[in-house]
Amino acid sequence: LVPAVSPDVALASEVKYIGEVANLISYDENGFPIYNEDGTPKRDAYVSLYDIENASGTVQLPSSFDVTVRDGSGQESVVENVVPYEIDLKKKYESGSPVGWSNTQVTGIDLSQCSTLSRVSCDELPAVESLDLHGLDQLQRLTIYSCASLASLDVSGCSSLSEYFLTGTEHLDLPDFEQEPWPNLTKLSISKRGDFTSLEGSQLPNLTYLSIS
């Protein structure tokens, strides 16, 4: 049997992820390096994605994927089978000018299969209307900045989320922080939202930082 695929969802095998990967040493909560069984330092993949090519609609990233690194001359190299610890979706600045995210046909990004994600950041993605993070129970930090078209954000099941920063998302329906429990949320910042001016924190028992502007 051939699995059904929504026409609005691009298959990961068809797309090209343009970006960079930094494999950094992982540290525990006390600041000590974490080691693998063979004695080598454990490294986490920090991924910057500057564009998604050959795709339209909603793109669902798999748990591991190849990242194409493109230099200033257009030469390409591929980092294979990246399992992301952090994904930063953003434009790349060269000589002070933004480049990347030229494919405005991508209107949705689904990261729900990237179960190892601890941090997600979305910065200046004007055409993206939806972001799906549901079920990412290791996700700790979410930052969204100047995504003017973003109207749908699914963070259901993100039980470890502790830092939540939103700026310039006027079309996004905000979570009901007064009704839904957020037991691990310690930092919350919401700015450039005239419809959000106050917060009753009974559902945020561990909140230590709050900014509304």
Side-chain angles (χ1 to χ4, degrees):
L1 295 176
V2 178
V5 178
S6 167
D8 292 330
V9 178
L11 294 177
S13 60
E14 299 175 344
V15 306
K16 179 183 283 189
Y17 303 103
I18 308 299
E20 297 176 344
V21 181
N23 291 300
L24 305 181
I25 294 176
S26 179
Y27 294 89
D28 64 20
E29 60 184 11
N30 297 314
F32 295 105
I34 299 174
Y35 291 92
N36 299 310
E37 292 183 358
D38 62 2
T40 60
K42 180 179 180 296
R43 292 181 178 272
D44 294 320
Y46 290 72
V47 180
S48 296
L49 286 184
Y50 303 132
D51 213 343
I52 301 178
E53 297 182 348
N54 305 325
S56 61
T58 296
V59 177
Q60 184 182 69
L61 280 74
S63 57
S64 66
F65 51 91
D66 297 344
V67 176
T68 299
V69 181
R70 182 179 295 158
D71 65 22
S73 66
Q75 296 294 315
E76 295 183 351
S77 59
V78 177
V79 183
E80 298 180 340
N81 299 320
V82 176
V83 179
Y85 172 83
E86 175 178 322
I87 288 183
D88 192 356
L89 303 154
K90 63 181 181 179
K91 295 180 179 180
K92 182 179 182 180
Y93 281 80
E94 295 181 352
S95 300
S97 300
V99 296
W101 286 104
S102 58
N103 185 2
T104 57
Q105 298 302 308
V106 173
T107 56
I109 297 174
D110 183 348
L111 299 176
S112 62
Q113 301 302 306
C114 301
S115 59
T116 56
L117 278 174
S118 178
R119 301 175 182 176
V120 171
S121 176
C122 299
D123 190 349
E124 297 187 74
L125 308 181
V128 173
E129 301 172 1
S130 66
L131 178 63
D132 189 347
L133 307 174
H134 83 272
L136 298 182
D137 57 7
Q138 296 185 45
L139 185 67
Q140 298 177 21
R141 181 184 177 100
L142 173 61
T143 303
I144 299 175
Y145 178 79
S146 293
C147 295
S149 299
L150 188 64
S152 174
L153 172 63
D154 189 349
V155 293
S156 59
C158 297
S159 55
S160 299
L161 191 62
S162 60
E163 301 181 18
Y164 198 155
F165 303 96
L166 299 176
T167 300
T169 55
E170 58 268 17
H171 298 297
L172 179 65
D173 288 335
L174 297 175
D176 191 341
F177 293 104
E178 297 183 6
Q179 298 297 324
E180 302 172 15
W182 297 78
N184 294 309
L185 198 65
T186 59
K187 296 181 180 180
L188 174 63
S189 175
I190 298 175
S191 59
K192 298 183 179 180
R193 287 294 301 253
D195 58 338
F196 192 89
T197 58
S198 63
L199 177 67
E200 197 282 314
S202 62
Q203 298 289 350
L204 305 170
N206 294 310
L207 194 68
T208 59
Y209 173 87
L210 173 64
S211 176
I212 300 174
S213 61

